[in-house]
Amino acid sequence: MAVIERMPKSGYTMREGFVSKILVQIGESVQKGTPLLEYETDKLTGTVEASGAGTVLQILAREEESYPVLSPLVVIGEPGEEIPAEQAGDAQPKPVDEKAVPETEKPKKAERAFATPRARKIAKDQGIDLMAVTGTGPKGRIQAKDVLSFAEARPKATHLAQKLAAQGEITLDQMTGTGPRGRIGKEDVQHAQTTVEMAARTERLSSMRGTIATRLTQSKQNIPHAYYTYDIDMGALAEIKCKLSKEGLKLTYNDLLLFGVSRVLQSNPLFTARIEEGQIIYPDGVNLGMAVSVNGGLVVPVICCTEKPSLTALAERAAELAKQAKEGKLPADKMSGGSFTVSNLGKYGVRQFSAIINPPESGILAVGAVEDRVCAVDGEMKIKKMATVTLSADHRLIDGAEAAAFLQQLDRFCREPWRMIL
Amino acid sequence: MSRKTMSAAIAMAQREEMLRDESVYIMGLDVGPYGGAFGCTRGLWQEFGRERVMDMPISEAGYVGAAVGSAMTNMRPIAELQFTDWITIASDMLVNQAANMRYTFGGSLSVPMVLRAPVGGYMAAASQHSHMFESWFSFIPGLKVVLPSNPADAKGLLKSAIRDNNPVLFFEHKMLYDIPGEVPDDPEFLVPLGKANVVREGSDVTIATYAYMVDMAKQAAEILEKDGIHAEIIDLRTIKPMDTDTVITSVKKTNRLCCLQETWLTCSVASQISAVVAEEALEYLDAPILRIGALDAPNPFSAKLERYILPSVERIVREIREMF
């Protein structure tokens, strides 16, 4: 009996997978577990494997196309076997066409505008794209007067701008001018020229990039961000780090901060809450996301229930998740469910930055580099190990005083780490 | 200025040139006492005698050949054909001899002759009495081809043709012979060969035409005015050498060109103008060039059919309207 291998749902929010590489050919013999094709989602890359031994009978998927979850991709069976009709019925997976436009909307347009030589000359002189002009002449021919009335309807361009546009082969009608009443001036054309020259290379926006773009834009548009910066005294944590390292246990500042933040969050549940449809929802436990830079973007693995593990266990979890993230092997369930995120650019030497809240969370802590700084202590100059952190908080939920209290508590925990065992 | 028919203007021109230059003389069928089949030599035999106005036998090749030979030996003959349809019989004399001779004799002689012939249809004269061969002969290097559209131009152009040192074919439209017009009396009134005339100014379409079609174009233009189409009419006057510059200047103004001729369009004068304008003024054209001419059929004997085959004011108006 032929088996149809389908696009798996490898994540709660996954709706489709982008087939990046097909690894087998029709007629090839496979075993259970033989990789058949590779696919990507916005969170991970995965492999569809043969669920049993057999021969590849049909390959229904195409490379560089996206298919909805559960779409049939590959048919495996015995050579000469018939594919059962109800399976054959849906045997043609329909690739998801992002650019699909209903037929009724787009009128059939020729590759080349049907225009008289005079019309073409006028269009060229005025930087008008003939494909945008409607012709009223015999057989729909674009005549001079059609181009002229199109030009009239357009925002005007200065004579110099028109000349530059014609020279640089730039069309003016998509351009909005910055001059009075939208007039297109020399600067506008020059700007268009440089943008044209700069676009020497194009890249497809990867799933991950696209997702990041969408989500962070949504975050900035919907969440009223307020930012609070605090310089944290890292001296005590530095000592702990040093001592443990002498005993062979390597912890990072990030591990220590994660631990500290998770403790602060336990007593400040508002920071793990989220607003949903006019309600504030407080989750159980503290699931902490940590931003990890990966090839081509950014991923936020979530450490679950950070109120439970010990510092070393937490550090281990963090390290493991970071590794998985960098290898693109992070399971989907480890990428969601966070209630607060910590983002650390300290290792790059960034002193301070303000991060964008990761929806549906309500806050994110941006951590800068730990550095020796000159500080005033009782009227004297002392060198201390300091780090600057910035809390971005959703002002719908969290007001300034609460944010300040959060940071004060974090600072206290960092200065007096013994408080964290209370 | 006097009011004269085209045939009278032609007679006047010949008379003036014969008075001016004694090497000018006329030969043809019935040109002598009869005064020519269409009256173009009326009174000349009476004035100048049989040595200078000679009746010929019906032998086109013969007397056109004689004209060629005479022109080579310092005379200025004007040979008149009774209908242009039989120019075909004389064409060896014209094409192989007259057109070539200055070239083949290395410039040591020229052939300053004029061949006058009545042309054109609209008279129900059938396929052998209605021809107009302007396209054919314009093809030949070494010949000039001229067609007047009115009495004044007929006089001025003929005098220039007689004084020209090349073989000139002077085609006179039969329908125009009896139409009167104002003609300058000045014996030195000349209309240069190779120069077109803008007979009507307009802004929307250029009609390049000649001979009898000039009148038809004017009638069509009046009708087109009501559609808001202002036609500019150019009377080419000389087909070879043609004044395409005037046409191009006009097309640059109007952006539309209609080439109107009475005869067939294949390899025609209209095709020639179209090609030159497309070459030199393509960017000015806001519509494909329109050629109007006779449908591809011999001239019918039936007057009704003839009016269908040949251009009509109605057809000109209709086809020009479709250019917009």
Side-chain angles (χ1 to χ4, degrees), chain A residues 116-119 121 137-138 141-145, chain B residues 255-256 282-288 322-324:
Chain A
T116 69
R118 180 113 192 93
K121 177 141 198 326
R141 197 181 287 140
I142 296 172
Q143 300 183 114
K145 67 173 169 36
Chain B
N255 304 125
R256 278 176 171 75
L282 184 67
E283 290 171 331
Y284 292 88
L285 290 171
D286 204 20
E322 284 166 19
M323 293 175 92
F324 290 87

Side-chain angles (χ1 to χ4, degrees), chain B residues 81-124:
Chain B
L81 290 179
Q82 199 152 78
F83 278 88
T84 208
D85 306 64
W86 305 307
I87 200 172
T88 49
I89 305 164
S91 51
D92 179 69
M93 295 296 129
L94 293 167
V95 171
N96 281 325
Q97 312 307 330
N100 287 341
M101 272 173 160
R102 182 189 284 173
Y103 176 72
T104 53
F105 280 74
S108 65
L109 57 76
S110 50
V111 186
M113 65 176 276
V114 175
L115 180 92
R116 288 181 36 248
V119 298
Y122 295 97
M123 294 176 97

Side-chain angles (χ1 to χ4, degrees), chain A residues 367-379:
Chain A
V367 177
V370 175
E371 31 177 46
D372 285 336
R373 294 187 195 161
V374 178
C375 300
V377 179
D378 299 325

Side-chain angles (χ1 to χ4, degrees), chain B residues 267-310:
Chain B
C267 300
S268 60
V269 173
S271 304
Q272 168 67 7
I273 303 171
S274 303
V276 171
V277 170
E279 262 170 35
E280 298 185 19
L282 184 67
E283 290 171 331
Y284 292 88
L285 290 171
D286 204 20
I289 301 172
L290 172 64
R291 294 173 305 152
I292 301 180
L295 303 183
D296 226 14
N299 277 33
F301 179 53
S302 149
K304 271 213 174 107
L305 269 182
E306 188 185 35
R307 253 160 248 290
Y308 179 75
I309 299 278
L310 300 180

